[in-house]
Amino acid sequence: MIHLILFGPPGSGKGTQAVKLAEKYNLVHISTGDLFRHETSQKTELGLKALEFMSQGMLVPDEITIGMLKKKVKSLPDACGFIYDGFPRTIAQANALDHMLEENNESISILLSLDVPEEEIVKRILNRGISSGRPDDNDESIIRKRIQVYLQETAAVFEHYAVNRKSKSINGLGTIEEIFLRLCSHIDPLC
Ligand code: AMP
């Protein structure tokens, strides 16, 4: 079973590529950001708690995020594989994911990291904010905070999987199709 982590800073194109990859390889796409936004729109207790952090560009605490992710994966027993988009974002999340998979004799297949320079990210997110309606996409200081959090707390997850040679860097600049083909060239050998 394929367990693919689509990695990279906010605005690097993970969501766009995850949708295309999920279709091509018949994988379930799980975006923790989307799950939080759904909870927020439903005004659930979890959603309102998450919003306190999301609106400031901060990470939602591990406890909440890991619990939500596990619940989602367990609700999909018939899945042929998963794309994790926006998760794991901390070493604690990576360890929790590894342990959850280990319980089923599974492990992460590959981590593909989309590399995009900071100025391009800011431009892309502000542009996305025009149509996404996401408050965290409309404020440049929040966007820069999210990038800072990525560098301080999330980037280490790349190294966590690099130890087992599972982490790969992908050039995240170019057309959607060009980037998609780059990603596919790393996934095809796993199928
Ligand atoms: P995203 O849609 O992936 O950019 O996520 C939007 C926001 O949701 C982030 O800025 C965080 O506040 C929160 N979030 C999403 N995924 C995670 C995660 N794995 N851990 C903690 N917070 C998360």
Side-chain angles (χ1 to χ4, degrees):
M1 195 190 269
I2 292 185
H3 294 275
L4 161 66
I5 298 174
L6 204 50
F7 197 70
S12 56
K14 299 187 295 293
T16 305
Q17 295 294 339
V19 170
K20 287 170 69 69
L21 292 170
E23 196 191 350
K24 172 162 174 163
Y25 296 101
N26 192 26
L27 304 171
V28 175
H29 170 206
I30 300 184
S31 153
T32 41
D34 285 350
L35 293 176
F36 282 133
R37 280 183 287 277
H38 178 71
E39 294 286 336
T40 303
S41 71
Q42 301 298 301
K43 299 195 164 53
T44 64
E45 197 181 324
L46 188 154
L48 296 176
K49 186 81 201 148
L51 188 60
E52 289 174 27
F53 298 90
M54 294 168 80
S55 60
Q56 295 176 61
M58 286 161 59
L59 294 184
V60 178
D62 284 335
E63 223 179 276
I64 299 176
T65 307
I66 291 167
M68 180 181 72
L69 185 278
K70 282 188 175 174
K71 193 170 150 200
K72 184 70 187 175
V73 171
K74 290 197 171 127
S75 75
L76 296 159
D78 299 328
C80 300
F82 293 92
I83 301 180
Y84 306 96
D85 160 10
F87 185 95
R89 260 172 152 107
T90 62
I91 294 293
Q93 291 180 16
N95 284 328
L97 179 60
D98 293 345
H99 289 141
M100 182 187 76
L101 297 179
E102 257 166 47
E103 282 171 13
N104 297 313
N105 289 321
E106 300 276 341
S107 62
I108 289 301
S109 316
I110 195 164
L111 176 153
L112 297 173
S113 177
L114 292 169
D115 285 349
V116 180
E118 178 161 342
E119 287 318 306
E120 172 70 15
I121 288 172
V122 174
K123 218 164 63 185
R124 282 190 193 180
I125 300 182
L126 283 171
N127 197 36
R128 178 173 75 185
I130 296 168
S131 54
S132 75
R134 283 177 54 173
D136 59 344
D137 280 354
N138 275 304
D139 180 330
E140 186 166 337
S141 65
I142 303 283
I143 296 170
R144 294 212 185 260
K145 173 75 186 167
R146 287 160 65 197
I147 296 171
Q148 192 192 340
V149 166
Y150 173 79
L151 294 172
Q152 283 175 352
E153 301 188 47
T154 305
V157 172
F158 185 94
E159 304 309 326
H160 176 89
Y161 291 104
V163 173
N164 296 330
R165 297 173 187 274
K166 292 192 171 159
S167 298
K168 312 278 173 208
S169 285
I170 311 293
N171 176 2
L173 293 177
T175 64
I176 290 174
E177 206 51 38
E178 281 165 353
I179 299 163
F180 181 63
L181 292 177
R182 285 176 206 142
L183 293 167
C184 292
S185 72
H186 287 275
I187 302 170
D188 286 340
L190 305 173
C191 297

